Amino acid sequence: MNQNEWNQRLTGQCREMLCRLYGAESLEGQTARYRAAVEKFVSLFGERENLRLFSAPGRTEIGGNHTDHQRGRVLAASVGLDVIAVVSQEDSGVIRIKSEGHRENVVHLDNLKPVKEEENTSTAIVRGISARFAELGYRIGGFTAYTISDVLSGSGLSSSAAYEVLVGTILNGLYNGGGIDPVVVAQIGQYAENNYFGKPCGLMDQAASSVGGLVMLDFENREQPEVEQIPYDFAERGYALCVVNTGGSHADLTGEYAAIPAEMRAVAGYFGKEVLRGIGKAALMENAAALRGLPGGDRALLRALHFAEENERVLRQADALRQDDFEGFLLLVKESGRSSYCLLQNVVSTSSSEQQGIALGLALSEQLLGSKGVCRVHGGGFAGTLQAYVPLEDVQRYRCEMERVFGEGSCYLLRVRPCGGVEVK
């Protein structure tokens, strides 16, 4: 379809899908957003007759803080914030992606080996995803795309995973009939981030974005993780799901992040294992004296205890949601937050102790919410975001107070999106 045909379709046949993705209250704004993206594509690359639209969401972590890299369980959800793409399939053998506010990424498909100079760039992601598609026997080919994202970098909602899932969803839709399983699309994105971009991440972010909805993910089998969707609407229970960006740079925190899986693996190695999955709390306590002497010392043992408890807590959280025991679920969220703060220790950076935005945000949230809501660190930690479950009648007050301290636009009200990476039709 060309620009005029899409303008008509977005206000006609696409309305139902847009409502499903973003909610009826956002229909008008999202329609305008897609129309603007199509218009921008045409202004950059000229009118095309084969335009297609794709979307991939950001994600929020619900439970399972720092468990995925130890083959543990997580609860996560795709959210209404996403990255969208206007795409034209090409037979040029070149992928060309222009993202709003960024330089164009160009990858020639006759050269899919890692390029050292591309590490930490979006071009590396595109090249890595294309290479992995080809390695796994899937079809690849050229396309031109223009993307717009409201999953802001640094928002804690994983803009990188959304971008990876978007590229994989485009290749899946254009060249593979949309037949590749969403979990495989997620694994391909993780592969690109690990081996081309240069970041040793787990699979949670990509899987939550690709599969969609509120999901429990079990990574015990790394090649075939178990995925269970658990439909749940927090708003129906009278609560809003908020994420607050407390600020702070992640640039100097690489060592802090890397230390968590490294110390956990050191403890696992004591038991002759690669990761902590399968090592229970009782075994850790029985061997506590010896484990204190491992690299990381007492902190490594505390982090291992966090994993053992958090991995089981995810099961209890999922069960509470299945049984619609929301009060029980909130208590478990509070437990998870306390464990991250005290055992995992990813709220305050030891290398930059004056930067304590998350700790401050948690303290303020507890004062504002009292006994009516709960909060916890969100995602990697040390800097960035916290998560809060806020009674609907208190949302405006909570948002105003958090933005008074952390800046306008720092508090995101999230809607759980029922599906992951998709072609918009």
Side-chain angles (χ1 to χ4, degrees), residues 129-140 168 171 176 180 188:
I129 288 172
S130 302
R132 191 60 173 165
F133 261 77
E135 288 173 9
L136 295 175
Y138 299 120
R139 294 184 62 219
I140 60 173
L171 285 173
N176 296 277
I180 303 174
I188 291 172

Side-chain angles (χ1 to χ4, degrees), residues 62-301:
I62 304 296
N65 195 214
H66 277 281
T67 54
D68 60 333
H69 51 69
Q70 299 299 300
R71 298 190 196 173
R73 306 180 186 95
V74 299
L75 274 176
S78 57
V79 299
L81 302 175
D82 66 347
V83 52
I84 65 173
V86 183
V87 181
S88 171
Q89 185 173 346
E90 315 281 357
D91 59 5
S92 60
V94 177
I95 293 176
R96 189 181 306 271
I97 303 177
K98 175 69 173 75
S99 296
E100 182 183 38
H102 298 276
R103 291 190 300 179
E104 189 173 83
N105 298 313
V106 179
V107 171
H108 294 263
L109 298 179
D110 57 358
N111 175 24
L112 294 179
K113 294 181 180 179
V115 177
K116 182 67 176 177
E117 293 74 23
E118 287 180 356
E119 285 188 3
N120 299 303
T121 70
S122 298
T123 303
I125 293 293
V126 177
R127 192 181 305 277
I129 288 172
S130 302
R132 191 60 173 165
F133 261 77
E135 288 173 9
L136 295 175
Y138 299 120
R139 294 184 62 219
I140 60 173
F143 63 83
T144 299
Y146 177 73
T147 79
I148 296 176
S149 178
D150 57 14
V151 190
L152 300 178
S153 179
S155 66
L157 301 173
S158 200
S159 58
S160 58
Y163 184 81
E164 291 158 15
V165 170
L166 179 72
V167 175
T169 301
I170 292 170
L171 285 173
N172 188 14
L174 295 184
Y175 292 101
N176 296 277
I180 303 174
D181 187 274
V183 174
V184 175
V185 172
Q187 291 171 325
I188 291 172
Q190 181 200 23
Y191 174 89
E193 189 160 343
N194 290 170
N195 296 282
Y196 281 70
F197 186 85
K199 179 181 176 182
C201 66
L203 185 59
M204 180 190 74
D205 293 351
Q206 295 86 351
S209 175
S210 188
V211 174
L214 197 160
V215 293
M216 183 170 72
L217 304 160
D218 189 332
F219 297 114
E220 184 170 25
N221 183 337
R222 194 159 42 190
E223 301 305 315
Q224 293 183 309
E226 295 181 15
V227 179
E228 177 191 357
Q229 290 187 307
I230 305 174
Y232 204 83
D233 189 335
F234 297 120
E236 286 185 2
R237 277 68 184 176
Y239 278 78
L241 176 60
C242 300
V243 166
V244 180
N245 185 359
T246 67
S249 172
H250 294 81
D252 298 323
L253 297 174
T254 302
E256 299 271 18
Y257 293 123
I260 293 177
E263 290 176 10
M264 287 184 174
R265 288 193 175 98
V267 174
Y270 176 86
F271 295 94
K273 294 181 175 291
E274 179 187 354
V275 294
L276 287 172
R277 181 64 181 262
I279 303 170
K281 182 178 178 180
L284 294 171
M285 296 305 296
E286 183 179 343
N287 293 276
L291 293 172
R292 295 185 68 194
L294 295 177
D298 292 341
R299 190 176 68 176
L301 175 55

Side-chain angles (χ1 to χ4, degrees), residues 240 242 244 363-373 388-406 410-411 413:
C242 300
V244 180
L364 292 173
S365 295
E366 289 177 355
Q367 290 294 317
L368 289 167
L369 298 174
S371 62
K372 294 192 292 184
Y389 294 81
V390 183
L392 292 176
E393 63 269 21
D394 294 332
V395 166
Q396 188 60 32
R397 180 173 68 94
Y398 179 80
R399 188 174 194 174
C400 286
E401 283 300 300
M402 299 308 282
E403 294 194 348
R404 181 179 65 83
V405 176
F406 297 110
S410 59
C411 182
L413 272 62

Side-chain angles (χ1 to χ4, degrees), residues 3 86 138 422 424:
Q3 181 179 2
V86 183
Y138 299 120
V422 294
V424 178

